[in-house]
């Protein structure tokens, strides 16, 4: 009996030890108060578009005008360099084709660049037009973009907002148009790419002589157009000027002024908040003094006719030519306050 009691005690003690061990191995009960996980900023998703360089498809005739992929500010040439003669202008620049048509164009070339910034694709479309002379290269810029001339890079630069830059160097006219969300970042990238392209062009030029006569230091800042045909005034830079002066019949005025590829014609629009409208002056340089005088005589007869010929004729003044140069004004009401015509006349050679 004593022996059975002893065995019972030993077994019970063993079970007690085993139970305690299991109790110690149980995990502690989780707190009933749930803690909210800290909010983490979502990482910017990578762009799903993979930029593939297209340099190996460049047209060799124009490839050297454009930098290779990943050579400037991370830009990748995703659309190869293409180009051709002046007949390609209408397909590359359909919105500007009509106003550029009067200028002497040799060829046109273009390429597209892209890069990824913060998961988004930025894009710049680059176009270069080679003119037969630097005057026509400047003329194309002047009718394509309004505003004063700058010297950011190239010979002359004009900008339209943050997304478009127009530049001339020598016989080349460059157009750079961008797309992207971060305008400030895109603007810097656009400028670096455009500056690189224009810097590599070896030729030099500058504004035509008749333009320089209208933009001397003693004249106010102006938007200046250099044209071979007044059809170019209907473009982005001149349409508001055309409306302000009341020029309704472009072809008729072309014939009256005898404009053409051998005539240099510059028009300047000066503005001041105290004037009733812009003061619009123009200078035409003819191949001969005889032609300049013939145009002056013909124009004077029209202005001296008994019946008024409309708003434009009523606001027109012209001075007797000085050699091959003829100076006129299409805003007599404003000119009576601005007094710019006399200054311009003094600059004629």
């Amino acid at each position: 009996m004593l022996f059975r009691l002893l065995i019972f005690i030993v077994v019970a003690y063993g079970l007690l030890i085993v139970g305690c061990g299991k109790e110690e191995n149980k995990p502690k009960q989780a707190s009933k108060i749930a803690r909210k996980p800290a909010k983490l900023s979502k990482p910017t998703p990578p762009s799903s578009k993979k930029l593939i360089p297209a340099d190996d498809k460049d047209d060799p005739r124009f490839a050297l005008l454009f930098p290779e992929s990943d050579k400037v500010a991370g830009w990748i040439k995703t659309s190869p360099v293409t180009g051709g003669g002046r007949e390609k202008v209408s397909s590359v620049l359909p919105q500007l084709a009509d106003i550029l048509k009067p200028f002497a164009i040799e060829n046109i070339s273009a390429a597209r660049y892209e890069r990824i910034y913060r998961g988004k694709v930025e894009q710049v479309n680059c176009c270069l037009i080679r003119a037969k002379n630097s005057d026509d290269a400047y003329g194309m810029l002047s009718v394509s973009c309004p505003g004063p001339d700058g010297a950011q890079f190239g010979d002359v630069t004009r900008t339209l907002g943050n997304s478009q830059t127009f530049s001339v160097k020598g016989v080349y006219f460059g157009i750079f148009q961008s797309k992207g969300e971060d305008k400030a970042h895109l603007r810097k990238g656009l400028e670096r790419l455009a500056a690189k392209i224009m810097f590599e062009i070896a030729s030099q030029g500058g504004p035509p002589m008749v333009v320089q006569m209208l933009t001397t230091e003693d004249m106010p800042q102006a938007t200046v157009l250099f044209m071979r045909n007044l059809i170019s005034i209907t473009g982005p830079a001149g349409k508001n000027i055309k409306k302000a002066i009341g020029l309704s019949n472009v072809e008729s005025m072309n014939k009256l002024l005898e404009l053409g590829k051998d005539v240099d014609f510059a028009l300047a629009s000066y503005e001041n908040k105290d004037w009733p409208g812009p003061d619009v002056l123009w200078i035409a340089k003819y191949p001969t003094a005889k032609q300049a005088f013939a145009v002056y005589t013909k124009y004077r007869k029209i202005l001296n006719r008994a019946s008024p010929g409309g708003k434009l004729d009523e606001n027109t003044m012209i001075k007797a030519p000085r050699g091959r140069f003829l100076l006129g004004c299409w805003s007599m009401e404003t000119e009576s306050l601005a007094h710019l015509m006399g200054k311009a006349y003094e600059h004629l050679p």
Side-chain angles (χ1 to χ4, degrees):
M1 187 72 178
L2 181 62
F3 178 75
R4 288 180 179 177
L5 181 60
L6 183 60
I7 291 175
F8 176 79
I9 294 172
V10 171
V11 172
Y13 183 76
L15 291 174
L16 182 62
I17 293 175
V18 172
C20 290
K22 289 182 177 179
E23 195 69 29
E24 289 176 358
N25 291 333
K26 285 184 179 180
K28 295 181 179 179
Q29 188 175 1
S31 173
K32 292 183 179 180
I33 302 176
R35 294 182 179 179
K36 293 183 180 180
K39 291 185 178 180
L40 300 176
S41 58
K42 293 182 179 180
T44 303
S47 173
S48 59
K49 181 175 181 180
K50 184 179 180 180
L51 301 182
I52 302 175
D55 300 68
D56 59 341
K57 298 181 178 65
D58 287 345
D59 187 327
R61 296 174 299 172
F62 308 102
L64 294 179
L65 293 170
F66 299 85
E68 297 176 357
S69 293
D70 213 19
K71 294 292 185 182
V72 183
W75 290 110
I76 304 297
K77 191 194 301 170
T78 56
S79 181
V81 177
T82 58
R86 62 175 295 123
E87 72 280 356
K88 294 288 185 180
V89 174
S90 58
S91 59
V92 178
L93 298 169
Q95 72 279 15
L96 297 176
D98 288 341
I99 66 169
L100 299 182
K101 188 177 180 180
F103 297 101
I105 297 174
E106 289 193 347
N107 58 58
I108 183 172
S109 54
R112 176 179 297 168
Y113 289 83
E114 293 180 319
R115 67 180 183 180
I116 297 174
Y117 179 67
R118 292 182 176 176
K120 303 292 184 179
V121 176
E122 296 180 329
Q123 181 185 105
V124 175
N125 290 309
C126 306
C127 175
L128 286 175
I129 300 179
R130 180 185 175 95
K132 291 184 178 180
N133 56 75
S134 60
D135 285 356
D136 280 37
Y138 175 89
M140 286 188 282
L141 173 142
S142 72
V143 301
S144 300
C145 180
D149 292 345
Q152 190 173 3
F153 43 79
D155 297 326
V156 177
T157 304
R158 291 186 187 180
T159 59
L160 193 59
N162 288 321
S163 62
Q164 297 184 70
T165 292
F166 302 78
S167 184
V168 167
K169 189 175 182 185
V171 297
Y172 282 94
F173 167 44
I175 302 175
F176 308 92
Q177 300 173 308
S178 63
K179 295 180 182 179
E181 292 188 4
D182 191 319
K183 300 303 181 184
H185 181 265
L186 181 58
R187 181 68 201 169
K188 292 179 181 178
L190 166 67
E191 290 177 352
R192 289 187 63 182
L193 182 58
K196 173 66 174 177
I197 291 174
M198 300 308 294
F199 177 78
E200 294 294 331
I201 295 173
S203 60
Q204 296 289 329
M209 180 187 294
V210 287
V211 171
Q212 295 179 38
M213 294 175 187
L214 293 171
T215 55
T216 53
E217 292 183 356
D218 59 341
M219 301 288 276
Q221 194 175 68
T223 290
V224 185
L225 283 68
F226 178 85
M227 296 174 281
R228 301 295 187 186
N229 186 309
L230 282 173
I231 189 64
S232 299
I233 202 176
T234 61
K239 58 184 179 181
N240 289 336
I241 300 173
K242 176 179 178 292
K243 182 179 179 180
I245 62 177
L247 176 59
S248 58
N249 194 328
V250 170
E251 280 304 315
S252 177
M253 185 59 70
N254 273 324
K255 292 180 180 179
L256 177 58
L257 293 174
E258 299 182 11
L259 300 186
K261 62 183 181 65
D262 297 323
V263 178
D264 295 349
F265 183 86
L267 177 149
S269 176
Y270 309 91
E271 295 189 17
N272 187 300
K273 62 182 180 63
D274 296 326
W275 298 345
D279 195 12
V280 181
L281 307 185
W282 52 265
I283 296 176
K285 177 187 175 185
Y286 294 94
T288 65
K290 181 179 179 181
Q291 185 179 1
F293 187 77
V295 172
Y296 167 74
T297 302
K298 182 171 52 173
Y299 209 153
R300 288 298 309 173
K301 288 181 180 179
I302 291 176
L303 296 177
N304 290 335
R305 62 191 175 191
S307 58
K311 175 183 176 181
L312 183 59
D313 285 355
E314 291 174 357
N315 275 289
T316 297
M317 295 188 297
I318 55 174
K319 286 185 173 290
R322 178 175 284 180
R324 297 188 293 160
F325 295 89
L326 182 62
L327 171 66
C329 171
W330 282 335
S331 52
M332 185 166 61
E333 182 182 1
T334 301
E335 172 59 20
S336 64
L337 300 173
H339 305 295
L340 299 178
M341 200 172 182
K343 293 181 180 180
Y345 191 75
E346 293 175 0
H347 298 306
L348 300 182

